[in-house]
Amino acid sequence: MPQLDTATFLPQLYWLAVCFVVLYWIITRMALPRIAGVLQRRHDRIANDLETVENLRDEAKAVLADYESKMEKAQSQAQAILAKAAEESVRRAAKCEAEISSRLSKELAETEKRVLAAKNKALGEIDQAAGKLAKAVAEKLVGGRVDGKLVQQALELDSAGRK
C-alpha cells in the first residue's frame, strides 16, 4: 500500500499540511463568515420575532383589559336599564290597578244603585199587586165594594211589621 510506504511519508505529510492550510483558509475566509452571517441573521430575526410577540402580547393584554372594562360597564348599564324598566313596569301596573279598582268601584256603586232601584220598584209593584189582590179578595169575601184606602193601610201595617 502506497500510504504506508515510509519513503513517501514526508511528501504526503507536506501535501497534507498544504491541503489542510488551504482548506482551513477557505473555510475561515469564505464558508465560516457566510455561516456566521446566516446564523446572525437567524438570531436577529428570532429576536425581532420574540420582540414582536412580546409587543403583540402586551397589546392583546391591553385590548383584553379594555374589553373587560367595557363589558363590565355595559353590564352595569344593562342592569340599570333593567332595574329602571322593572320599576317603570311596577309603577304602570300600580297605576293600572288603581284605575281598574276605581272604575270597578264606580261600576259596583252604580250597579248597587240600579239593583236597589229595581228592588224598590219590584217591591212597589208587589205592594200594588198585593193591594189589588187584597182588595179583590176582600170584595169577594164581603160581597161588595171595599175602600182601597183601608186595604192600603192594612198592607202598610203588615209591611211595617215585616221590616
Side-chain angles (χ1 to χ4, degrees):
M1 285 214 294
Q3 298 95 330
L4 299 177
D5 186 13
T6 55
T8 60
F9 270 168
L10 202 54
Q12 285 180 8
L13 285 176
Y14 171 78
W15 285 112
L16 173 69
V18 169
C19 287
F20 180 77
V21 168
V22 169
L23 283 175
Y24 181 78
W25 184 82
I26 290 173
I27 288 174
T28 57
R29 300 284 181 214
M30 297 177 143
L32 285 179
R34 288 183 185 173
I35 291 172
V38 168
L39 289 176
Q40 185 62 38
R41 284 192 302 271
R42 178 180 276 173
H43 180 268
D44 291 345
R45 187 174 56 212
I46 288 171
N48 188 22
D49 288 348
L50 287 175
E51 185 179 325
T52 303
V53 166
E54 277 295 317
N55 291 340
L56 289 175
R57 186 176 62 142
D58 292 342
E59 186 178 325
K61 284 182 181 179
V63 168
L64 179 63
D66 185 45
Y67 168 77
E68 288 175 349
S69 68
K70 286 182 180 180
M71 281 300 291
E72 288 176 11
K73 183 179 178 182
Q75 285 178 347
S76 66
Q77 286 177 347
Q79 296 265 342
I81 290 170
L82 286 175
K84 186 177 180 181
E87 184 179 303
E88 180 69 19
S89 295
V90 167
R91 188 182 58 77
R92 284 184 182 177
K95 183 180 177 183
C96 287
E97 182 180 349
E99 288 175 1
I100 290 172
S101 177
S102 172
R103 188 173 47 186
L104 288 176
S105 296
K106 288 177 184 176
E107 288 179 11
L108 181 63
E110 290 175 10
T111 304
E112 285 176 348
K113 286 179 186 176
R114 282 186 273 148
V115 166
L116 187 60
K119 177 183 171 186
N120 289 338
K121 182 180 175 185
L123 287 175
E125 290 175 358
I126 288 173
D127 285 345
Q128 285 179 353
K132 288 180 185 177
L133 181 65
K135 184 178 175 186
V137 168
E139 285 178 351
K140 284 259 188 188
L141 287 174
V142 174
R145 292 208 45 94
V146 177
D147 187 16
K149 290 182 183 179
L150 289 174
V151 173
Q152 192 66 27
Q153 287 175 354
L155 286 175
E156 286 175 8
L157 284 176
D158 185 45
S159 16
R162 278 190 285 158
K163 290 181 183 175

